[in-house]
Amino acid sequence: MRHAHAVKYAAGIAILAVAAICGESFAQGTPDPNSAPQTYREDPGWAKLTEGRKWCAVSAVDIDRDGKSVWVFD
C-alpha cells in the first residue's frame, strides 16, 4: 500500500515538473502584450461643462432612436 502511494506521489511530481518546463518555454515564445505601440491619445480637456454647470451624479442614460446620440439626465 505504501508503495502505491509513493508511485502516485512520484508520478505527480513528474507531471508537475513537465508542466512547469513546458509552461516556461511556452511563455518565452509569446510576445509581450505591453510591447505594442500606444495608439491612443490623451485629451485632458474633453469634459468641459457650460458656464454654471457642475459635475454631479447621473440618474439616467439612454440611447436616442437615431442610434447615435446619447441622452444623460442628472
Side-chain angles (χ1 to χ4, degrees):
M1 196 68 161
R2 289 184 184 181
H3 179 70
H5 288 298
V7 170
K8 287 182 184 178
Y9 182 73
I13 290 176
I15 290 171
L16 288 175
V18 169
I21 292 169
C22 291
E24 185 176 313
S25 64
F26 177 74
Q28 290 175 354
T30 57
D32 179 13
N34 296 321
S35 65
Q38 176 58 279
T39 58
Y40 296 99
R41 64 177 174 81
E42 181 182 4
D43 185 4
W46 68 270
K48 294 180 182 170
L49 298 175
T50 57
E51 188 69 35
R53 298 278 306 179
K54 294 181 182 179
W55 284 102
C56 60
V58 173
S59 62
V61 177
D62 198 11
I63 305 296
D64 197 340
R65 285 181 236 167
D66 67 7
K68 298 176 184 175
S69 304
V70 179
W71 290 88
V72 180
F73 304 93
D74 63 356

